[in-house]
Amino acid sequence: TKPNTPTENDRKNGLYSIRMRGLDAKNTLEMRFDKVGAGVLSFKYGSFSNHSNGEFIIQKSINQGSNWEDVGTKVIVPKWSGTMLTHSVPVNYDGNIRFRLVVTLRTPNNANEQFNIDDFMITD
């Protein structure tokens, strides 16, 4: 499908990014393929518009997505300050691996909080 046209409130590097929303804590951005080896996983993120307190966790799978395990700690997205933030997680794994970002909910008050993800990168 064709992506939605980004607004001036979407945080992005280039033309597009992914906008995530809390809702029911089942919103995910997931790799559907394995990468052989991973050194560091990193990406940029920023709150959509004037939102704040969106929350997510990174997970990894070493068995083609059958089971997932948290990597690092939960990230809470602060109100936009004018610059996208960078999140990096050392992984240092030699075998087949895939990742997903899972939006989590701390309270019902942040269920509609939105944020953008961009420049997802995995080093060897």
Side-chain angles (χ1 to χ4, degrees), residues 11 45-48 51-56 74-80 85 106 110 113-117:
R11 312 310 172 194
Y45 67 99
S47 63
F48 172 78
H51 292 225
S52 63
N53 296 320
E55 182 180 281
F56 62 87
K74 289 183 182 176
V75 177
I76 299 172
V77 182
K79 189 172 183 175
W80 181 247
L85 302 171
R106 293 181 303 130
N110 73 342
E113 294 303 327
Q114 299 175 65
F115 55 89
N116 293 88
I117 301 291

Side-chain angles (χ1 to χ4, degrees), residues 17 33 48 51 64:
S17 63
F33 59 91
F48 172 78
H51 292 225
Q64 299 179 323

Side-chain angles (χ1 to χ4, degrees), residues 5 10 12 19 25 37 44 47 59 75 86 94 102 109 111-112:
T5 302
D10 280 299
K12 60 192 180 303
R19 188 187 317 160
K44 298 203 179 287
S47 63
Q59 295 181 330
V75 177
T86 301
D94 289 332
V102 180
N109 296 334
N112 197 37

Side-chain angles (χ1 to χ4, degrees), residues 83-100:
T83 304
M84 290 189 84
L85 302 171
T86 301
H87 183 69
S88 295
V89 179
V91 180
N92 300 320
Y93 185 76
D94 289 332
N96 289 340
I97 191 167
R98 60 179 70 183
F99 297 97
R100 72 179 179 183

Side-chain angles (χ1 to χ4, degrees), residues 6-58:
T7 72
E8 68 276 1
N9 293 316
D10 280 299
R11 312 310 172 194
K12 60 192 180 303
N13 183 22
L15 296 177
Y16 297 103
S17 63
I18 305 255
R19 188 187 317 160
M20 308 287 292
R21 174 182 268 170
L23 298 179
D24 61 2
K26 294 181 182 175
N27 197 353
T28 63
L29 173 62
E30 181 177 318
M31 288 173 64
R32 300 264 173 117
F33 59 91
D34 287 335
K35 180 182 183 315
V36 179
V40 176
L41 167 69
S42 66
F43 54 89
K44 298 203 179 287
Y45 67 99
S47 63
F48 172 78
S49 187
N50 63 351
H51 292 225
S52 63
N53 296 320
E55 182 180 281
F56 62 87
I57 188 83
I58 299 298

